[in-house]
Amino acid sequence: MTAVFRHELRMYFHSLTAYVFGAFLLAFVGIGSMLYNLQAAVSNFEFVLSFGCLVFVVIVPVLTMRVIAEERKQKTDQLLYSLPITTTQVILGKYLALLVVYLILLCIICLYPLIFSQFGDVYLLTSYGSLFAFFAMGAALIALGVFISSLTDNQGFAAGIGIAVILLNYYSVSLSEYVSSTALGSVIAMCVLVLAAGGIIYCLTKNENLAYGFCFLFIVGILLIYFFDTGKLEGLLPDIMAKLSLFERFYVFVNGVFDVTALVYYAAAAVFFLFLSVQSLEKRRYN
Amino acid sequence: MISVEHLTKYYGDFLAVDDLSFEIEEGHVYGFLGPNGAGKSTTMNIMTGCLSATEGHVRIDGYDIFEEADKAKKLIGYLPEQPPLYMQETPAEYLRFVGEAKGLRGLRLNEQVEEVIRQTKIGEVRNRRISALSKGYRQRVGIAQALLGNPKVIILDEPTVGLDPIQIIEIRALIKELGQDHTVIFSSHILSEVQAICDQILMIADGRLAAFDEPGNLEKRLLSPNEIIITADAEPEEIRDILALAAHITDVAMEEKKSPFTTACLKTDHENIYEASRSVFEAFSKKGKALLEMNLRKASLEDLFVELTEGSGADTVPEAESETDTEPEAKKEVRR
């Protein structure tokens, strides 16, 4: 794992990726602190971070697009398969390297509140609490990016899908206000989601029975709930959309609450997507 | 060393490898021969753990490549068809990464990297970016990577494809050298190459093992007789009369007459082709006719290759091989 980790880290600084990622993140946070902390003279650094998290939509896909897609394109994944290391080690090594690139930048950003505190009262606790959440959210999004990159051998495609998915996640709370909140609407939407998930399961496993079984079980479950306890489905869809938003949980920190459940949520999301990446890499062996 | 048992691989509905079984012994150079699409790369990918098998087992020194992947993979060095190189890196950096991934650390890593750089003669390009290297050098870096960790078996998938004649000769010499300390398995669709380097040949056609023997034994298995092609300053009828006197000649076929001279293809059933050519020479000299040219065409592995692979289906089409090699190459390549 350390071999993959060191190799990846070296590759990031060999190519432009790490620098582009860093430049965008620092520029955005820089503009944010200029607007809030300097011009508006607000002493809350967390507002800058809540402004800056929009930049994730672009920079996370830029950072993660090549991580596995490029290996496939250059056929270097064959080397990784033939080396005496497991795919879990490969994914973890790559992920840790990405986290380190991200952490280096956060270390620079960490200095900002300290600098501002020289000139006035800055709420350092909320600032650093939000920074920690900023790190956790970024880590979850990077894991999502790794998974998307593992699905294709085209970097551009990986970046495009990544931007779309993160953007959707960013706006999912605003969008949730527009979707139907009736029970029937929820049932229809849930069925569509279940069918889509079934389609993905079929694509990944090529196992028809598993996909049909999955769809059947969930749709029957949803219909049963609909007929016996309609009230539970009221407003379910907007609820789910809001719950899935990684960004929404970050704003809790911005408001000054150190929410441990959100951190657990981010960690779970990261582990989930890394697990899927391992499966996606492993699946190439079984095509 | 390596035992492959009832290996079967389906790609969807397509059967790529069909119940393949063989044993690889230590200390030989094995040639893996077959037309394109015969399942060579698939088999090698399965043997190295890059691909799963639909059925069957591969064991390296008793370790199953899937069950005990870690131990089994440490015994193998693999160069896939396309060398898996990171273009932005230099060979030295790349080899350090592969060495580390193979579990080498510190002094041993440095020693091994230096050793393989020396063995594959890539010292002069060690600090250039791989993207700037020629194909021959890239292939060498790929082989160097396979050698790291001093594995018992080295598996090379078509290591000479796309190289120029000098590079091909160099890579072949390197493979021969490696054969002294390692068990080497390499695939190719060029017969003369396999004939020149290997002491064991596995022929594979349509995912099945068509033949597995030493080159000499394989040649003995040939059914087609030896041939002599002559050009003489005489009319076809005269040649027929003259050859009627010669011993050991079983068949005479005249070729189309293009020049004032006549060319004919003779067949002999004598096991020593020189006896036949001697009798031809003596028959001509007795009649006082000039024998201008005499070419002996010994039955070769090429004939066996074509014979074994042609039977594999009606969709095989002979195609001219555009090898730039100086040696007489397989003129017929069977492609799916």
Side-chain angles (χ1 to χ4, degrees), chain A residues 7 10 14 71 78 81 84 285, chain B residues 49 52 70 73 80 86 89:
Chain A
H7 179 246
R10 197 171 53 219
H14 262 295
E71 299 265 4
Q78 288 225 330
Y81 286 131
R285 247 190 258 226
Chain B
S52 72
D70 196 53
K73 282 176 182 175
Y86 294 97
E89 287 185 310

Side-chain angles (χ1 to χ4, degrees), chain A residues 2-4 6-7 10-11 14 71 74-76 78-85 285-287, chain B residues 9 45 49-52 70 73-74 80 82 84-86 89 93-94 97 100-102 105 145:
Chain A
T2 46
V4 178
R6 283 161 62 171
H7 179 246
R10 197 171 53 219
M11 297 270 278
H14 262 295
E71 299 265 4
Q74 303 289 347
K75 302 259 162 98
T76 43
Q78 288 225 330
L79 174 71
L80 299 179
Y81 286 131
S82 68
L83 286 173
I85 43 178
R285 247 190 258 226
Y286 293 89
N287 59 354
Chain B
K9 175 72 186 175
N45 275 335
C50 294
L51 204 64
S52 72
D70 196 53
K73 282 176 182 175
K74 280 201 166 126
Q82 190 181 338
L85 306 172
Y86 294 97
E89 287 185 310
E93 287 172 332
Y94 172 71
F97 158 60
E100 277 178 28
K102 287 188 178 182
R105 291 286 180 278
Q145 163 271 119

Side-chain angles (χ1 to χ4, degrees), chain A:
Chain A
M1 191 177 85
T2 46
V4 178
F5 167 72
R6 283 161 62 171
H7 179 246
E8 282 295 308
L9 207 56
R10 197 171 53 219
M11 297 270 278
Y12 285 119
F13 290 101
H14 262 295
S15 66
L16 272 177
T17 341
Y19 300 104
V20 170
F21 176 78
F24 265 93
L25 184 64
L26 289 181
F28 228 73
V29 174
I31 291 170
S33 46
M34 196 179 75
L35 289 176
Y36 285 91
N37 298 134
L38 299 183
Q39 284 196 326
V42 177
S43 61
N44 298 64
F45 187 68
E46 51 273 23
F47 292 166
V48 176
L49 294 177
S50 105
F51 165 81
C53 65
L54 178 63
V55 76
F56 278 132
V57 172
V58 180
I59 61 170
V60 167
V62 166
L63 185 67
T64 58
M65 64 183 182
R66 58 155 286 284
V67 66
I68 294 166
E70 186 65 5
E71 299 265 4
R72 282 198 181 162
K73 185 148 203 174
Q74 303 289 347
K75 302 259 162 98
T76 43
D77 55 340
Q78 288 225 330
L79 174 71
L80 299 179
Y81 286 131
S82 68
L83 286 173
I85 43 178
T86 62
T87 38
T88 315
Q89 286 172 320
V90 171
I91 293 286
L92 278 183
K94 282 172 175 289
Y95 182 64
L96 287 181
L98 287 163
L99 280 192
V100 165
V101 171
Y102 179 45
L103 263 179
I104 291 173
L105 296 163
L106 285 188
C107 286
I108 300 172
I109 295 174
C110 269
L111 297 176
Y112 295 1
L114 282 181
I115 295 171
F116 293 135
S117 68
Q118 303 295 311
F119 305 98
D121 284 335
V122 177
Y123 303 112
L124 285 181
L125 272 179
T126 50
S127 296
Y128 284 109
S130 308
L131 252 171
F132 188 70
F134 196 68
F135 165 72
M137 180 173 67
L141 287 172
I142 288 171
L144 169 69
V146 171
F147 171 60
I148 289 170
S149 177
S150 77
L151 294 176
T152 167
D153 58 4
N154 184 334
Q155 283 192 40
F157 195 66
I161 299 276
I163 289 174
V165 169
I166 297 177
L167 198 64
L168 209 66
N169 195 279
Y170 186 80
Y171 284 116
S172 68
V173 174
S174 333
L175 284 176
S176 71
E177 288 164 17
Y178 297 98
V179 297
S180 160
S181 62
T182 63
L184 188 63
S186 293
V187 167
I188 293 169
M190 291 300 289
C191 287
V192 171
L193 279 179
V194 167
L195 288 177
I200 292 171
I201 288 176
Y202 177 68
C203 282
L204 287 179
T205 61
K206 295 270 179 272
N207 187 338
E208 283 179 32
N209 294 337
L210 183 69
Y212 282 135
F214 172 84
C215 291
F216 180 76
L217 268 181
F218 274 79
I219 289 177
V220 166
I222 292 162
L223 290 178
L224 281 179
I225 295 172
Y226 179 67
F227 287 119
F228 290 108
D229 195 356
T230 318
K232 273 199 174 152
L233 290 171
E234 213 82 51
L236 182 67
L237 185 61
D239 247 24
I240 288 178
M241 284 181 72
K243 286 260 158 59
L244 283 181
S245 172
L246 290 162
F247 291 92
E248 193 58 25
R249 284 165 194 270
F250 175 64
Y251 299 133
V252 179
F253 288 88
V254 174
N255 294 332
V257 180
F258 195 86
D259 184 5
V260 180
T261 53
L263 293 180
V264 172
Y265 179 78
Y266 288 140
V271 170
F272 176 67
F273 285 118
L274 291 181
F275 171 75
L276 288 185
S277 313
V278 171
Q279 297 311 311
S280 159
L281 209 61
E282 201 56 40
K283 185 225 147 201
R284 284 268 291 185
R285 247 190 258 226
Y286 293 89
N287 59 354

